[in-house]
Amino acid sequence: MDTGVRIETAASKQLVRMRRFYLAAGAYAACLPVLIAAHYVGLVPLAPMLRLAILMVGANLAFFAIFRSGVNQRAPDPSLTWPQVLVAIAILMYGVYYFDRERGLALMLCLVVLSFGAFRFSTREFFTAAGVVLAGYLVVINVLMWARPTTVNVPIEAYRWLTLALVLPCFAMVGGRISELRRRLRRSNEELNSALRMIQKMATHDALTGLPNRALFNEALVHAIGQAQRHRRSLALFFLDIDRFKNINDTLGHPVGDRVLQEVGQRITVAVRASDMVARLGGDEFVLLVEDFAETPDLGDIAAKILGAFGPSFHVDGQELALSASIGICTFPDDGSDAQTLLSNADIAMYRAKEQGRNRHCFYAAELNKLSQERLALEAALKHALQRDEIEIHYQPKIEFGGGRVTGVEALIRWRHPHLGLLLPDRFVPLAEETGLIVPIGYWTLRRVCERVCKWKEQGISLSVAVNLSASQFHQPELVKELAAILWSTGAPAQALELEITETMVMKDPDRAVAVMEQLRAMGVRLSIDDFGTGHSSLGYLKRFPIDRLKVDRSFVRELPHNGDDAAITGAVIALAHSLKMTVVAEGVEDQQQFDLLRDQGCDEFQGYYCRPPLPEAELMRFLNEERGLFARGARKAERACG
Ligand code: C2E
Ligand code: CA
Ligand code: CA
């Protein structure tokens, strides 16, 4: 493409030169009738007139041949301005030699020749050319005085020469100025053109990745649809979204995010054919237009190739990042007949790919539309859920294995949807995370929990409450300040609050995480690692984290005691936590066998349906009162409290 541009400009430059040549040839052509007229009024004899005419035609033919052959392109000035001017002056000097009666005419023609230099010459070159004319005139007169003295009237020729010597420098000055102005005009014209090209590029391309932007892509898509319609062909649209890109921006900052986007753009471009159009719509959304493909399985191959391009880790600013993407695919005419529908359906399919677990592609199907509409409706309703007081908190007790004592509760949010009823977090927390609504919801939960802690305290119940923190909240710079403000304004003791964070949240940027955790601990808030075992934490860091509790993920408890691997894992986690002076909580304990095994392994506390599911506040109070009653009556075991 680059060489194409170069060839094109070289060709267009040669065209400009040819035009210059024709201009000069035109000037000669204008001189010829003047010459013939001069002969008829008796100023020039026939033979010199013919010779002059032949010289003019001959010179032009020679120059024409040179320009056409392209030999001129090797010259320092491929327009051959100097050779042209010198040859013209020489021919005119030959004329001066024979214009016995009217040498002034030939000299006037000299001015015409020089004026052509105005298109090319600098003032200095004009002076040189003027000098050549004056010198030539001097030589011709001297030769005439020697060869044909009768034809020379010395005072008149001296007068002419002096007049020329006065006029030519002025002419050179004016000519030089004109040519300078022309050059400036051309330069600003070029600048204007390149600015115009840049504006055009900016309007149609994404500044970060250099890929076509939404506007250009839409235009191309509309055009491609028209073509496909006319030729009864299909086309495919891929919609790609980087998985969890928001996390990268939030944790590593926007400059890193930008570099990732650039790299992603490159990788996609390399993975697809040159004829397929890749564009960035904005954010972390990329699209691909595939105009010719044989059958649908081909599209799956293309998607696999793109996802494969995400395989090697990304290296940005010394960080190694593992990334993946989700792709939605739809085709014309099956899944939509206009650009807008196709884009929206590919987007819907992309969401489906995310829901199915990310790092995959998904083809659009009409049923997805319904799902997506539900999702949009849910998203819209979630925006108002807080103001409309639809979010509630349920509390699940944590029980000590040894004494059956309730050591605290975990706050788990629910959404009482006006039409859909009580929704569990898996229906709306991922949505809240994607839309950022999880941050206000998270702060609301913290405040509500703190208020409850105070209220219960007044009722004589001192209970510690564990609250789940979302990744975006944990990475908010204001977290510590906001939490301090909530504790201060509600008057809740920090010791009553425990924050649950996951391994993945802290391992993104462990040094920063340690700093935040230490600030939280300094306030008196306790910390636990949730879903332990499902992320990847480094043991080295685990030692550095100021953590009070590890919560063994439910997935390791589910198949206990039959699954030997899981039993080995829970045993090892319990031993590890104890060696790090942490308490261990087993999640999702549902039956007596699980309970027994974990107790025998030395686990400290458990949560699960074996005791109670998450309870609304009133039920929690009832449970706690019963439990207090049991203790008062000397009940010993958790089996009794929970059974
Ligand atoms: P999680 O933090 O791991 O919460 C424990 C989940 O296990 C809860 O699901 C709880 O109801 C469930 N569970 C407890 N015992 C048992 C059991 O014996 N068997 C089974 N099968 N499940 C049990 P839930 O309430 O649906 O919450 C799901 C997830 O939603 C939570 O997982 C947590 O990650 C998230 N979540 C809940 N509340 C909040 C919140 O306020 N903020 C944030 N950011 N996330 C929350
Ligand atoms: Ca939790
Ligand atoms: Ca958990």
Side-chain angles (χ1 to χ4, degrees), residues 396 410-414 424-426 429 433 438 445 467-470 500 530-531 553-554 587-590 607-610 612 614:
Q396 185 174 41
E410 176 177 2
L412 293 156
I413 51 172
R414 271 94 184 92
L424 290 178
D426 59 346
V429 166
E433 265 161 4
I438 195 70
T445 309
V467 176
N468 293 284
L469 268 199
S470 70
E500 296 193 359
D530 202 1
D531 307 338
D553 191 63
R554 200 165 72 220
E587 296 187 302
V589 176
E590 294 186 348
Q607 249 177 279
Y609 299 166
Y610 179 55
R612 287 290 184 278

Side-chain angles (χ1 to χ4, degrees), residues 73 76 183 339 531 623:
Q73 297 197 34
R183 216 165 300 145
D531 307 338
F623 167 74

Side-chain angles (χ1 to χ4, degrees), residues 63-262:
F63 273 117
F64 182 73
I66 292 172
F67 275 96
R68 282 312 292 254
S69 67
V71 178
N72 64 319
Q73 297 197 34
R74 265 180 260 145
D77 168 25
S79 291
L80 303 183
T81 314
W82 266 113
Q84 291 245 52
V85 168
L86 289 180
V87 167
I89 292 175
I91 292 174
L92 283 166
M93 286 309 143
Y94 183 74
V96 171
Y97 188 83
Y98 284 105
F99 277 32
D100 294 342
R101 296 207 205 126
E102 193 40 79
R103 276 192 193 99
L105 178 70
L107 290 173
M108 251 165 62
L109 291 179
C110 274
L111 288 183
V112 176
V113 171
L114 279 190
S115 65
F116 277 95
F119 294 100
R120 310 279 303 149
F121 278 169
S122 66
T123 311
R124 211 168 124 180
E125 285 170 318
F126 260 116
F127 272 109
T128 315
V132 172
V133 170
L134 288 173
Y137 192 46
L138 215 58
V139 169
V140 170
I141 297 303
N142 274 292
V143 171
L144 279 174
M145 276 165 63
W146 171 73
R148 295 192 287 140
T150 50
T151 58
V152 184
N153 182 335
V154 176
I156 288 184
E157 299 304 344
Y159 171 77
R160 277 196 189 129
W161 192 88
L162 280 173
T163 315
L164 260 186
L166 277 175
V167 171
L168 281 184
C170 304
F171 188 78
M173 294 270 282
V174 175
R177 186 94 190 105
I178 292 174
S179 120
E180 168 66 21
L181 284 177
R182 261 178 56 84
R183 216 165 300 145
R184 266 198 231 160
L185 205 68
R186 187 153 358 106
R187 212 175 310 132
S188 54
N189 215 4
E190 272 162 16
E191 278 167 10
L192 214 68
N193 276 335
S194 93
L196 206 67
R197 274 196 299 276
M198 190 138 100
I199 290 170
Q200 260 163 359
K201 173 134 182 143
M202 272 160 60
T204 54
H205 286 74
D206 165 45
L208 186 67
T209 59
L211 291 174
N213 64 9
R214 186 185 283 274
L216 183 58
F217 185 79
N218 267 336
E219 212 172 281
L221 183 57
V222 170
H223 178 77
I225 290 174
Q227 292 285 91
Q229 232 155 9
R230 215 161 301 131
H231 300 106
R232 300 194 173 285
R233 278 199 316 241
S234 9
L235 60 84
L237 184 65
F238 289 56
F239 199 110
L240 180 144
D241 187 285
I242 306 173
D243 295 333
R244 302 198 167 89
F245 180 71
K246 199 173 166 305
N247 275 356
I248 294 184
N249 263 346
D250 288 350
T251 54
L252 303 176
H254 286 264
V256 173
D258 285 354
R259 298 281 308 282
V260 167
L261 288 173
Q262 288 171 331

Side-chain angles (χ1 to χ4, degrees), residues 421-610:
L422 193 70
L423 300 183
L424 290 178
D426 59 346
R427 280 291 295 278
F428 66 92
V429 166
L431 196 65
E433 265 161 4
E434 267 167 46
T435 51
L437 285 168
I438 195 70
V439 175
I441 292 178
Y443 284 129
W444 175 87
T445 309
L446 281 168
R447 179 171 289 279
R448 172 59 65 94
V449 162
C450 287
E451 285 166 2
R452 289 303 180 262
V453 164
C454 296
K455 191 180 110 186
W456 297 334
K457 207 163 153 223
E458 282 166 18
Q459 297 170 1
I461 304 168
S462 57
L463 203 56
S464 105
V465 186
V467 176
N468 293 284
L469 268 199
S470 70
S472 18
Q473 209 171 0
F474 184 70
H475 294 123
Q476 276 219 316
E478 310 85 61
L479 172 69
V480 176
K481 218 172 67 203
E482 291 275 342
L483 184 63
I486 291 173
L487 287 169
W488 183 81
S489 63
T490 56
Q495 293 70 20
L497 199 62
E498 184 171 317
L499 296 179
E500 296 193 359
I501 45 195
T502 63
E503 291 159 280
T504 337
M505 271 155 69
V506 288
M507 287 318 295
K508 283 254 160 63
D509 181 0
D511 293 324
R512 187 188 163 267
V514 170
V516 174
M517 288 194 275
E518 269 163 2
Q519 279 173 286
L520 291 170
R521 273 292 293 269
M523 284 163 63
V525 174
R526 275 173 303 160
L527 299 169
S528 57
I529 296 273
D530 202 1
D531 307 338
F532 188 74
T534 55
H536 30 230
S537 41
S538 121
L539 289 183
Y541 272 112
L542 203 58
K543 212 171 76 185
R544 281 181 55 199
F545 291 150
I547 293 288
D548 302 278
R549 250 181 253 267
L550 280 192
K551 299 190 74 176
V552 183
D553 191 63
R554 200 165 72 220
S555 57
F556 302 110
V557 176
R558 195 179 302 130
E559 291 170 25
L560 291 184
H562 319 291
N563 187 323
D565 290 346
D566 285 349
I569 290 172
T570 50
V573 170
I574 292 165
L576 170 79
H578 286 164
S579 75
L580 293 172
K581 310 261 177 315
M582 296 175 185
T583 312
V584 194
V585 185
E587 296 187 302
V589 176
E590 294 186 348
D591 59 37
Q592 180 77 44
Q593 285 172 307
Q594 292 169 343
F595 176 89
D596 288 341
L597 180 82
L598 289 160
R599 183 199 50 206
D600 295 346
Q601 284 184 330
C603 190
D604 304 293
E605 298 164 15
F606 78 93
Q607 249 177 279
Y609 299 166
Y610 179 55

